[in-house]
Amino acid sequence: MINRLAPLIAGAVFLLCGCATPPPVPPSDVRGNYDHTQKYLTWLVDREMVQNEITGISIALVDNQQVIWQQGFGYADLENKTPATPETVYRAGSIAKVFTAAAAMQLAEQGKLDIDRPLAAALPEFSIKSRFPNAAPVTPRNIMCHHSGLPSNFLRGLFVREPDRFDSVVEAIHDEHLAFPPNYVFSYSNLGMALLGAAIQKVSGQAFDTYMREHFFLPLDMPQSSFAQRPIAKAYDRNKESEVFSLRDMPAANLLSNVVDLSQFLKMQFAEGRVGNQQLLSAASLHEMVRIQNKDFPLTFKQYVGLGWMMSGIDIPGGGPVASHGGSLPDSHSMMAILPEHKLGVVVLSNSATSHVAVSKIAAEALRLMLEAKTGIRQNPALPVRAAERSPTPEELRQFDGHFDTMVGLARISTKSGQIDVDAAGHQFRLVPHEDGLLTIKYKVFGMLPVRVGAFEDIHLSMAEADGRQIIVGRIGDESLIFGEKLKPSLIPEPFLQNLGHYEIVGKIDGPSPDRLLLKEDHGILIGEAHFPEVPDLLLRIAFQPVSDNEVVTAGLGTSRGDTLRLIGAGDDATLGFSGIQLRKKLN
């Protein structure tokens, strides 16, 4: 659910320590011998667990129809000293989306679901308001590739102790608006996957979790896998047990599984959809799922996606396309990735909040080493040569001065000092230009001294003009994506100006909730601020842009942008409505 870059910016404010040296590469490998792969990954997992205070990790490697290695590290239950094993069940998070997409494709093969017709054809109860009268419809296809234009989430009741049924969102969103026109910009949507799950229920005549059990988990021999309203796995934050909340949107993120079971799914993928004598999915459907769907969309920036699978983010030179999907919940993280052309795959599951970067790094290294072992294609990446730093040009100082919506919320960038200084998420940074035209990020210790941070080393930024927008493009390796957008001051509607101040949520929230909410104006921009006690060092700041006298939308492009904040009533009785949540102004 959480973007790869956001945790790096918001939380990585210290240098990573070093560990023991990795095992040496043998002088010559026998094709198909994975001994070095296992030794290196064992070293890497141990190092990542120490550096990131990860409690438990399990991993499995798959070569075509063989599980060549599976192993658990650390603890599934730290208090009772229960070790993590390949059979340990974890919260697999958004890996669920690959299964939900596979179910949609299975029903499409049966003629029960047309992925290119409007979603309402399969789910007549679905409706949502739109400010884009000439836009394309919401379809199962653009839901599966996160270009549906739907809001990323419907927040009321999303992350709680006792969730409602996921299909309750079908009726709940009738008064909400599309965030973007469909097929316009990548905007990761859990809500979209919940709606697709409701459509699967409708056309199959079975409850979603029942359908997945009978049509995937049972035929694939995945006995420990399930879609569940409430998680049963323990989770940890820096080796301290944390309370586990449920995510209402089951088809988007509520998959419970282990690496043994998920290996069965990868074997089916590599067998062109066959499981024994049964054709679970057609080869054509599986190939379509790993085909880039958004290459020609207006604002792609090489952030490619298939159907359910992400098609960028992991780069393995010589390996062909990489299809992957992570599962990021506040309390745990996971990664499943494959090289379809070479029939190689890896699954990494963790029970720790601090494992977000680690699971991706382990999965990428696993694919790199497996490719070497299977094919002899050596991965000898040249050490990056960083272009020399330089002073900002007058044009860069002009471009970067102002307010920007970014992946970690609203950022105020000031160039008054002749440098590009950033205030975002309650921290201070500096953007440093280089001779190659790209910019890198330094963290300002105590808000003063800019230093390099390991987690930012691979991030490079540049400014681009697209569709009349000034966009900061972020690059990691060969992947580019929208990092931020420069905002223009706009005329704030008078009713909102009359209702600035501190707010509180109406009613009880059965889950994490902000302890401070503020609506204010700054340099002609309407800004919302939220502070969560669970993340004391993070201040979330969101900019709003007006669309009418009583409605504004979250500014910027992509995930969690375009959501509507509406003003209801006036005077002392005025309240704010946002994603199903009602807010009232505090009296003092």
Side-chain angles (χ1 to χ4, degrees), residues 62-108:
V62 180
D63 179 352
N64 199 350
Q65 298 307 296
Q66 298 295 319
V67 177
I68 59 176
W69 183 52
Q70 53 189 14
Q71 185 69 48
F73 297 83
Y75 294 97
D77 185 332
L78 182 60
E79 293 72 27
N80 294 306
K81 302 301 179 186
T82 303
T85 70
E87 291 77 20
T88 297
V89 174
Y90 296 86
R91 303 182 76 183
S94 289
I95 290 176
K97 292 179 175 68
V98 179
F99 283 82
T100 300
M105 298 303 285
Q106 189 180 67
L107 289 164

Side-chain angles (χ1 to χ4, degrees), residues 386-406:
R386 186 183 299 278
E389 295 182 6
R390 59 171 174 79
S391 299
T393 65
E395 176 62 12
E396 287 170 334
L397 294 175
R398 183 192 66 79
Q399 284 183 325
F400 280 96
D401 190 68
H403 282 89
F404 286 76
D405 174 70
T406 74

Side-chain angles (χ1 to χ4, degrees), residues 403 409-410 412 423 425-426 501-504 514-522 525-532 538-544 565 576 583:
H403 282 89
L410 182 67
R412 177 69 178 98
D423 183 348
H502 290 272
Y503 282 79
E504 61 186 357
D515 57 0
R516 296 200 304 272
L517 290 168
L518 174 65
L519 187 67
K520 68 178 188 179
E521 179 270 342
D522 183 14
I525 295 177
L526 185 65
I527 297 172
E529 291 186 351
H531 178 270
F532 293 82
L538 177 65
L539 178 65
L540 178 62
R541 305 177 75 234
I542 301 171
F544 294 97
L565 175 73
L576 299 176
L583 309 171

Side-chain angles (χ1 to χ4, degrees), residues 303-325:
Q303 187 175 19
Y304 295 136
V305 62
L307 299 178
W309 292 99
M310 299 296 170
M311 300 305 297
S312 60
I314 299 178
D315 181 41
I316 309 295
V322 183
S324 67
H325 211 299

Side-chain angles (χ1 to χ4, degrees), residues 18 54 75 146 278 450 499:
I54 298 169
Y75 294 97
H146 296 288
Q278 180 180 359
N499 284 279

Side-chain angles (χ1 to χ4, degrees), residues 43 65 84 91 94 161 271 292 308 338 384 404-405 435 448 475 487 550:
W43 168 83
Q65 298 307 296
R91 303 182 76 183
S94 289
R161 295 179 179 88
I292 294 173
I338 60 173
F404 286 76
D405 174 70
E435 293 292 348
M448 296 181 291
R475 302 177 186 175
L487 303 180
N550 63 350

Side-chain angles (χ1 to χ4, degrees), residues 169 219 267 337 421 429 450 479 481 555:
V169 299
K267 288 161 67 175
D421 293 317
F429 307 87
E479 181 187 18
L481 67 166

